[in-house]
Amino acid sequence: MSRRPALILTVPLMLAQTPAFAQTGTWPALDDLYVNDHAAIIEAAAEDRLRAALAALRAETGVEMTVVTIARRSDYGYLGLFEDFATDLFNTWGVGDAVRNDGILVLVAHRDREMRLELGAGYARDWDRVARDVVEDSFLPLFRQDRYSEGIETGTMAAIARIARPHAAGKPPGSGSGTGGWGAGLLPPLLFAVFLVAIAFRRRLGDLGLRVRRCPGCGHRGLHQSREVIRPATGTEVGEGRQITSCPACGRRDTKTYPISRPGGSSGGFGGGKSSGGGASGRW
């Protein structure tokens, strides 16, 4: 009896047991817990607003939400569906609380013209419908006009208001973040605007304090401070950054290093959450 038929049947079975994709390269670098704009499509002011909103979300509700942009997933050696790439990235980074699994990942592949709003495993499937509405109503219309920065900011704010905060409050899908009655849809944006003003005011005070400090070298006022990444964090190693304080008058530069937390680690990293593939995708 020929063994050829058995071989023919075995090969498809082996393929069926193999993942539909293969990660042979690296993952996008985790330089920041809130915004990692590797595609360089988010304007600086918008990035500051996003980071402030996501930090407030985490501080007030415990929900970890992060925004990532890349050019193409193939740049990271990933073959297969964009949805699988988003789920694997989510799980590799461990976005969200490990018990509640309520993390959210906004992933935009600029050159692939694809995006994914990936939800943690703690969201019931009914939240996928809300995620789809957020993608179609808030992200894609602006992406189709090549207004990526505005689209990412608008869509992320919508995801916070329509998914993250209602879910954290125990509300059903589609309830939004309103409290009912007049002004229900207006109150959250107003509160967020007040928060942004407070953040901007605090940052301005910090900048003012730095400007009035005297340079240890020449005694002039007007110091400038910036940060740069020396070594991005990975899934297994803590990264390293450098803070630079400089004097425009004499050119003095003082530097100090600081750790960049690895995904899923302690010291302010993600909480080790998982996704089972829930959420919604969009293409334009």
Side-chain angles (χ1 to χ4, degrees):
M1 179 177 177
S2 172
R3 297 175 60 87
R4 187 179 299 274
L7 179 60
I8 293 175
L9 291 175
T10 302
V11 172
L13 180 61
M14 292 173 60
L15 291 176
Q17 295 173 343
T18 303
F21 49 84
Q23 172 67 23
T24 58
T26 59
W27 291 105
L30 176 58
D31 299 330
D32 185 88
L33 289 177
Y34 303 114
V35 183
N36 290 276
D37 182 24
H38 298 299
I41 56 176
I42 306 177
E43 296 174 0
E47 185 170 332
D48 287 343
R49 291 191 295 268
L50 283 168
R51 189 171 286 108
L54 296 173
L57 174 68
R58 188 180 189 187
E60 295 166 11
T61 68
V63 176
E64 296 177 356
M65 182 172 177
T66 189
V67 175
V68 183
T69 74
I70 61 175
R72 302 177 181 86
R73 63 185 179 279
S74 61
D75 294 340
Y76 302 93
Y78 212 96
L79 307 175
L81 297 177
F82 185 68
E83 288 78 6
D84 294 331
F85 178 69
T87 302
D88 269 27
L89 177 61
F90 187 111
N91 292 335
T92 298
W93 281 8
V95 182
D97 180 82
V99 176
R100 300 191 307 270
N101 286 311
D102 55 358
I104 301 177
L105 166 67
V106 176
L107 177 62
V108 178
H110 179 218
R111 297 299 181 184
D112 285 337
R113 302 185 72 84
E114 292 182 288
M115 72 150 296
R116 178 76 178 169
L117 184 56
E118 184 83 10
L119 303 181
Y123 292 88
R125 287 299 180 185
D126 288 344
W127 287 99
D128 292 353
R129 171 180 50 81
V130 185
R132 183 197 63 213
D133 291 343
V134 169
V135 169
E136 294 181 352
D137 297 343
S138 301
F139 284 99
L140 297 186
L142 291 165
F143 285 179
R144 292 184 180 116
Q145 302 174 41
D146 292 329
R147 296 160 63 186
Y148 293 103
S149 181
E150 186 177 349
I152 290 171
E153 184 176 9
T154 300
T156 300
M157 298 306 183
I160 291 173
R162 299 177 62 181
I163 301 176
R165 288 188 179 276
H167 183 270
K171 296 180 180 180
S175 61
S177 58
T179 56
W182 183 87
L186 183 62
L187 184 58
L190 286 177
L191 291 177
F192 178 67
V194 171
F195 172 78
L196 286 183
V197 170
I199 290 292
F201 183 68
R202 186 176 65 180
R203 183 174 299 165
R204 185 176 293 273
L205 286 178
D207 292 341
L208 180 61
L210 190 64
R211 286 199 297 270
V212 299
R213 283 174 49 191
R214 292 186 180 277
C215 172
C218 68
H220 281 79
R221 301 183 189 274
L223 299 178
H224 175 74
Q225 195 172 85
S226 62
R227 287 190 171 197
E228 62 183 28
V229 176
I230 302 174
R231 185 181 68 256
T234 67
T236 57
E237 295 184 355
V238 174
E240 185 178 19
R242 179 187 293 118
Q243 179 177 291
I244 305 169
T245 303
S246 59
C247 175
C250 68
R252 178 190 175 102
R253 286 165 57 93
D254 294 322
T255 65
K256 68 176 182 178
T257 60
Y258 60 91
I260 299 175
S261 301
R262 65 181 179 85
S266 57
S267 305
F270 291 124
K274 297 295 182 183
S275 172
S276 57
S281 300
R283 296 167 177 81
W284 62 96

